[in-house]
Amino acid sequence: MPTDLTKARQLFGTFSKIGAFTFGGGYAMIPLIQREVTERRRWLEDRDILDIVAIAESTPGPIAINTATFVGYQVCGTLGAFCATLGVVLPSFLVIYAVSFVLRQFSDLAVVQYAFNGIRAGVLALLLKALLSMYRQS
């Protein structure tokens, strides 16, 4: 059985991956969090994720951070909450910070503008998937 420290590291790694490679904010992260936490890692059940998302929506703050905090707490207590929250925030912060420098240099190029239009379409698809998934489970 994994120790709390091992679980905390796994939470940090899982939420770092989600935070680093997801465009579109918190609602776009929900299906990824659900898949990682319930299907891949089997830390929680689908009904637990629905409850966590409902609580995360009703508390102040970004939904992805709230969800990470609540998942981390359920899996590994306060240490898990801290590691999951740091995991989801830190990569996103670093990626946005780096992209801001690059984007300033190349924002006038047509190919960059087309890429961001494509990213918007992908984010819309992720949001619709999350909506449909939550609708089916409700």
Side-chain angles (χ1 to χ4, degrees), residues 9-10 12 17 30 55 79 82 86 89 91 102-103 105 109-110 115 132 137:
R9 284 188 197 131
Q10 290 173 344
F12 179 81
K17 181 175 66 172
I30 291 172
I55 293 167
L79 178 62
F82 176 77
L86 184 63
V89 169
V102 173
L103 198 56
Q105 301 296 322
L109 295 176
L132 183 62
Q137 292 180 18

Side-chain angles (χ1 to χ4, degrees), residues 80-117:
F82 176 77
C83 289
T85 302
L86 184 63
V88 80
V89 169
L90 187 61
S92 299
F93 173 78
L94 294 175
V95 167
I96 290 168
Y97 190 71
V99 167
S100 70
F101 286 112
V102 173
L103 198 56
R104 245 186 261 154
Q105 301 296 322
F106 301 104
S107 63
D108 294 333
L109 295 176
V111 70
V112 172
Q113 293 171 358
Y114 293 144
F116 275 97
N117 286 337

Side-chain angles (χ1 to χ4, degrees), residues 37-83:
V37 170
T38 63
E39 296 171 16
R40 187 164 180 264
R41 299 281 184 171
R42 299 195 187 280
W43 285 327
L44 300 172
E45 300 289 321
D46 279 329
R47 67 179 179 275
D48 298 326
I49 293 295
L50 277 175
D51 292 341
I52 286 171
V53 168
I55 293 167
E57 286 182 319
S58 64
T59 54
I63 189 167
I65 295 171
N66 291 345
T67 302
T69 304
F70 295 138
V71 166
Y73 188 79
Q74 287 291 327
V75 172
C76 189
T78 304
L79 178 62
F82 176 77
C83 289

Side-chain angles (χ1 to χ4, degrees), residues 116-130:
F116 275 97
N117 286 337
I119 289 169
R120 282 188 199 107
V123 168
L124 178 61
L126 284 172
L127 290 173
L128 291 175
K129 182 185 182 309

